[in-house]
Amino acid sequence: MDKISFNTKFLMKLHYKNLKNYFEETSTPLSESLVTNSVQWIGHASVMINLYDNIFITDPVIGSVGQFKRKIKPSMNLVNSNINYILLSHGHMDHIDFYSLIKMNKNVIVLCPKSYVKSIKVVGFKNVIGISEGEIHQNGDITIKCIAANHDGRRYYLGKDHSSNAYLISCKDKSVFFAGDTAFTENFKEIESDLALMPVGCYLPEGFDKMHCTPLESYKMYKMMKSKKMLPIHYNTFILSLEDDLDTVNILKSIKDNTIDIVNVGKTSLI
């Protein structure tokens, strides 16, 4: 597994960008209603998914992460939302945020990498399921399959288990694929879904693409799949890297593929 080099020049640029952000007003997003068979991007990797009124949330983060202030507020109140499943991809602070999890309903079912089961239970959740590559969770009409992402998911890069999960969520005839956080991989090839939630941010400076896909790499993975639509996520929420979010959007627009659904935070997209 390649490691990212956090050199002094990069850290100075990153901290400067975040310092500027502290003096800027946090944007207020759209807040459209979530309807049956739809998704809403809450910000970063947090997406609310409604499949036949079964509600899933991916990597919920309701506030800032450490010293990284949000650029835009979450579009939904996740604390009071009626959620059935929380899907956690990996251990990084912007994906498993214990501050957010502590505030959420503890009766929901949580799926996460196996090395985080104990930590999630300590927070108070009663039904925590550790899941690894190739394993499937089945509950009535709901099927959730775990696929390996190409990403070192260790918190602070400590420990041996660097698992990072992607999930294919299905209910009846509808399905959504959540890629989590990933560099380019062929692991998603031939996956069928109505919608692919694909990360497109955190790829600069050079070397970050060993852990995070570029927008073009994200699109390449999407085209290797059998998915009807791609919804870009994992950008325009925190300043964790050096690329400009507008550049990311312009790259996606330059592809000129109308199956890429570039949405603002808080916009509901039908499945």
Side-chain angles (χ1 to χ4, degrees):
M1 178 71 67
D2 292 311
K3 292 185 178 180
I4 295 172
S5 175
F6 293 99
N7 59 55
T8 303
K9 185 176 180 181
F10 158 70
L11 291 173
M12 288 180 64
K13 288 182 178 179
L14 183 66
H15 287 310
Y16 176 71
K17 285 166 70 77
N18 275 281
L19 182 62
K20 287 178 61 179
N21 186 44
Y22 267 94
F23 294 96
E24 296 178 1
E25 185 176 354
T26 304
S27 300
T28 299
L30 298 169
S31 187
E32 296 186 348
S33 297
L34 187 74
V35 298
T36 302
N37 296 330
S38 71
V39 304
Q40 185 176 131
W41 183 31
I42 310 297
H44 200 53
S46 304
V47 181
M48 192 83 85
I49 303 166
N50 181 323
L51 296 180
Y52 291 103
D53 297 325
N54 296 286
I55 310 299
F56 310 79
I57 180 71
T58 63
D59 291 348
V61 178
I62 63 176
S64 297
V65 175
Q67 74 271 30
F68 299 104
K69 174 178 170 284
R70 290 185 80 104
K71 294 172 59 180
I72 187 166
K73 299 174 184 177
S75 60
M76 284 189 181
N77 183 342
L78 300 182
V79 175
N80 297 324
S81 296
N82 183 19
I83 297 168
N84 302 106
Y85 279 88
I86 296 174
L87 306 180
L88 302 174
S89 62
H90 65 287
H92 292 166
M93 294 174 63
D94 54 322
H95 293 264
I96 292 182
D97 178 45
F98 289 106
Y99 172 80
S100 299
L101 294 173
I102 286 170
K103 294 177 174 292
M104 298 181 71
N105 178 7
K106 302 303 185 298
N107 294 317
V108 306
I109 300 171
V110 181
L111 267 63
C112 65
K114 292 181 178 179
S115 56
Y116 289 93
V117 169
K118 289 183 180 179
S119 299
I120 303 304
K121 284 185 175 180
V122 167
V123 173
F125 288 94
K126 301 176 179 64
N127 195 346
V128 184
I129 301 169
I131 190 167
S132 298
E133 177 184 6
E135 296 181 344
I136 295 174
H137 168 77
Q138 185 81 44
N139 183 8
D141 291 327
I142 297 169
T143 301
I144 303 174
K145 182 177 181 180
C146 180
I147 301 100
N150 180 15
H151 189 76
D152 188 335
R154 295 174 298 169
R155 204 172 187 89
Y156 311 118
Y157 302 104
L158 299 173
K160 295 180 180 179
D161 185 1
H162 54 73
S163 299
S164 191
N165 292 348
Y167 298 103
L168 178 62
I169 311 129
S170 304
C171 183
K172 299 180 182 179
D173 62 337
K174 298 293 184 181
S175 58
V176 173
F177 175 68
F178 170 60
D181 211 349
T182 188
F184 180 80
T185 178
E186 294 191 355
N187 291 355
F188 308 153
K189 191 174 182 179
E190 304 295 324
I191 289 176
E192 296 184 25
S193 67
D194 294 295
L195 175 67
L197 304 170
M198 300 296 294
V200 296
C202 209
Y203 53 90
L204 288 179
E206 184 179 353
F208 265 47
D209 56 356
K210 291 177 170 43
M211 288 275 282
H212 305 90
C213 56
T214 68
L216 292 178
E217 288 172 332
S218 183
Y219 178 71
K220 184 177 179 181
M221 287 187 286
Y222 162 65
K223 294 302 289 184
M224 292 167 61
M225 300 164 58
K226 294 180 179 178
S227 184
K228 298 175 183 176
K229 186 165 64 172
M230 168 182 167
L231 195 151
I233 61 170
H234 201 272
Y235 74 110
N236 200 32
T237 308
F238 301 106
I239 301 174
L240 303 175
S241 51
L242 299 186
E243 75 274 3
D244 187 279
D245 290 317
L246 182 58
D247 291 339
T248 298
V249 171
N250 287 336
I251 291 169
L252 292 167
K253 287 181 176 179
S254 72
I255 297 171
K256 296 182 179 179
D257 184 340
N258 59 13
T259 68
I260 305 175
D261 190 12
I262 304 171
V263 300
N264 293 321
V265 170
K267 175 74 175 175
T268 294
S269 297
L270 298 178
I271 301 170

